[in-house]
Amino acid sequence: MREMEKVAGPTRAFWQSRFDSGDLPWDRGQVSPQVQRWLDEGVLRPAQRVAVPGCGSGHEVLALAQAGCDVVGIDYAQGAVDLSRARLLGAGSSAAQAAAAELVCADVLQWQPPAPLDAVYDQTCWCALHPDRWSDWAAQLHRWIRPGGSLCLMAMQALRDNAAEGFIEGPPYHLDVHMLRALLPASHWHWPAPPYTRVDHKGGRFELALHLQRR
C-alpha cells in the first residue's frame, strides 16, 4: 500500500492531521473568484464532467455543482472528503446537485476517472505535491482530460528566499511557469499567451490563473 511506502512530500497522515485540527491556512474561506470568471467565460460549463483534485473543504466542488457541472472532488485525506460533504449538505444543495457532486478519498496519482474528463480544476493539488512527483501528475492530467478538454490550473506563486540556495520548501510548493511549460509542453497542450490573471491569496502569496487545452 502507498502509505507503507516512503514517498516524497507530505503523507496522508499529515493532511488528515490538518483537517482533524482545523489548521487549514490555505483555505480562503470561500470559493476562489477565478471559478466564476471561468464560468462566465464558458471555460467551465454546465453538464461538463469536472474533477477537482485536492478538493479540500469543498468550496469549489459546491460552486461547480451549483453551476450545473458533473463534479468529482478527490482528496488524499478522509477529513477533506467529510468536510466537503458537510459543505454540500450545509448549503442545502438540491438532490440533483448532490448527485452531481461525487466525493472520493484517493491518491490522485492512482485514481482514474471512468471516462475522460471535460475539465480539471486544480487549485490546491499540484502545489501540495512534492516536486519529485510532478512529472507523474502532469502525465495523469494528460490521461484524465479528453482531447480539447481544459486544465484550469491555479499556479501558486510561493517562491521562498532559500530557493536561491536550491532548497525545496513547501507545501505549498512554488509553481514556476517555466517549469510548468516543460512538464505540460506545447506539443501536448495549447498554452494561452501571457500575461496571466493574478489571483491574490493569503499571506501575500498569489496564484496565476492558467487555462490550458489538451491537444
Side-chain angles (χ1 to χ4, degrees), residues 30-113:
Q30 59 186 355
V31 64
S32 170
Q34 187 60 33
V35 171
Q36 190 59 53
R37 294 187 190 112
W38 275 326
L39 287 168
D40 291 343
E41 294 168 4
V43 172
L44 296 169
R45 300 185 298 279
Q48 282 185 324
R49 176 71 168 165
V50 182
V52 182
C55 63
S57 54
H59 298 291
E60 286 70 36
V61 173
L62 173 60
L64 290 169
Q66 290 177 331
C69 298
D70 184 7
V71 189
V72 55
I74 311 142
D75 207 286
Y76 205 23
Q78 185 62 48
V81 172
D82 293 342
L83 187 55
S84 293
R85 183 172 291 111
R87 186 170 307 283
L88 285 165
L89 295 173
S93 299
S94 69
Q97 289 168 353
E102 179 186 1
L103 296 169
V104 179
C105 184
D107 182 342
V108 295
L109 295 176
Q110 300 297 319
W111 181 85
Q112 296 294 334

Side-chain angles (χ1 to χ4, degrees), residues 190-207:
H190 174 73
W191 273 80
Y196 304 124
T197 299
R198 170 177 169 150
V199 182
D200 291 333
H201 212 299
K202 291 182 175 181
R205 293 181 177 138
F206 64 95
E207 299 153 325

